[in-house]
Amino acid sequence: MVFWTFKQYCEAFNYCKPIILIDGTHLYGKYRGTLMIATAVDGNNCILPIAFAIVSGENTDNWSWFLELIRIHVAQKHEICLISDRHPCILSAVNNVDLGWAPPQAYHVHCLRHVVSNFNHKFKNIMLKKQLKKLGYITSRLDFDAGLEKFKETSPQTAAWINRISKEKWSIAYDEQGRRFGHMTTNLSECVNKVLKRVRNLPITSLVRITYSRLVAYFLEHG
């Protein structure tokens, strides 16, 4: 396992929104494993990658290790909103209070796109998928509650499925403190994955150098 970050990104995070998006993507070619990426967002909604890691795969120990090192080296501030998919290993790591990602140090919410995708994977219903996505973006709690009740009426199975996910985890209507700053998905983090797509078959040392050079170019372009 290897973790890396860069000092300028750590310093820049102090001036960004208190949001961190995390995601993992597979390496391919000769060098297997998983590349973990943590991304922040500045006041202009520009992407700020703040930490990387290469691990053997996505499990509780590896996600716990990655999140712990982010706390130690990058994100010391409190009340951070952590956005991720609903991977059970991430959920387990976040629930470990010793890592500093449980309230009030941080608040974990789900990527709406992944919630909707998980729903569609189980029920194979495009229309309900679109309804669920639309619900997540409704800002009025009154309208959200009415829409959710209508959504649940489609079947006892869909009602049981959505009831297992707390509303504050996936809907902007129940984001009472505005911790998401309107960010409902981890799409920005996956943009970084696309930037690195063609280099995910390189040796680790080369991959570290590439992240540095490409992010320096990104900094110069976006100021």
Side-chain angles (χ1 to χ4, degrees), residues 83-152:
I83 306 177
S84 77
D85 61 25
R86 297 172 58 242
H87 196 291
C89 295
I90 296 178
L91 299 180
S92 179
V94 169
N95 289 332
N96 184 347
V97 295
D98 294 332
L99 298 181
W101 293 100
Q105 291 96 337
Y107 298 87
H108 180 227
V109 296
H110 303 323
C111 168
L112 178 61
R113 184 174 60 82
H114 282 93
V115 172
V116 170
S117 177
N118 294 157
F119 175 85
N120 192 57
H121 179 75
K122 182 173 180 61
F123 294 99
K124 305 294 192 298
N125 190 315
I126 297 297
M127 293 302 297
L128 287 180
K129 173 186 175 181
K130 291 180 179 178
Q131 289 181 31
L132 185 60
K133 181 180 179 180
K134 184 177 179 180
L135 276 172
Y137 284 100
I138 293 176
T139 56
S140 165
R141 184 172 293 190
L142 185 65
D143 292 340
F144 172 84
D145 289 340
L148 183 60
E149 288 307 311
K150 186 176 181 180
F151 178 83
K152 291 179 181 179

Side-chain angles (χ1 to χ4, degrees), residues 2-196:
V2 59
F3 171 94
W4 71 97
T5 184
F6 304 107
K7 188 174 185 294
Q8 59 268 50
Y9 308 147
C10 298
E11 292 178 350
F13 179 67
N14 293 321
Y15 303 94
C16 289
K17 301 174 184 177
I19 299 174
I20 293 179
L21 306 91
I22 56 173
D23 191 31
T25 184
H26 295 292
L27 301 178
Y28 55 89
K30 179 180 179 180
Y31 305 96
R32 300 290 181 172
T34 298
L35 174 65
M36 294 179 171
I37 301 174
T39 308
V41 187
D42 71 12
N44 295 319
N45 289 331
C46 289
I47 303 169
L48 178 73
I50 54 175
F52 302 87
I54 293 178
V55 296
S56 57
E58 294 191 71
N59 56 48
T60 301
D61 287 342
N62 288 342
W63 273 115
S64 298
W65 173 78
F66 184 53
L67 288 171
E68 182 179 18
L69 290 179
I70 292 174
R71 264 301 185 200
I72 293 172
H73 298 290
V74 184
Q76 288 81 37
K77 64 173 71 172
H78 289 326
E79 298 190 348
I80 291 174
C81 179
L82 183 70
I83 306 177
S84 77
D85 61 25
R86 297 172 58 242
H87 196 291
C89 295
I90 296 178
L91 299 180
S92 179
V94 169
N95 289 332
N96 184 347
V97 295
D98 294 332
L99 298 181
W101 293 100
Q105 291 96 337
Y107 298 87
H108 180 227
V109 296
H110 303 323
C111 168
L112 178 61
R113 184 174 60 82
H114 282 93
V115 172
V116 170
S117 177
N118 294 157
F119 175 85
N120 192 57
H121 179 75
K122 182 173 180 61
F123 294 99
K124 305 294 192 298
N125 190 315
I126 297 297
M127 293 302 297
L128 287 180
K129 173 186 175 181
K130 291 180 179 178
Q131 289 181 31
L132 185 60
K133 181 180 179 180
K134 184 177 179 180
L135 276 172
Y137 284 100
I138 293 176
T139 56
S140 165
R141 184 172 293 190
L142 185 65
D143 292 340
F144 172 84
D145 289 340
L148 183 60
E149 288 307 311
K150 186 176 181 180
F151 178 83
K152 291 179 181 179
E153 290 173 0
T154 55
S155 75
Q157 291 77 21
T158 57
W161 190 91
I162 197 61
N163 281 338
R164 287 196 291 268
I165 309 176
S166 300
K167 288 177 280 192
E168 64 270 15
K169 295 287 188 181
W170 63 275
S171 69
I172 198 167
Y174 277 81
D175 182 22
E176 296 181 356
Q177 306 300 321
R179 294 190 175 97
R180 283 181 176 267
F181 288 85
H183 295 281
M184 299 301 296
T185 71
T186 57
N187 288 355
L188 292 179
S189 182
E190 293 180 10
C191 288
V192 182
N193 288 342
K194 291 181 180 179
V195 170
L196 300 175

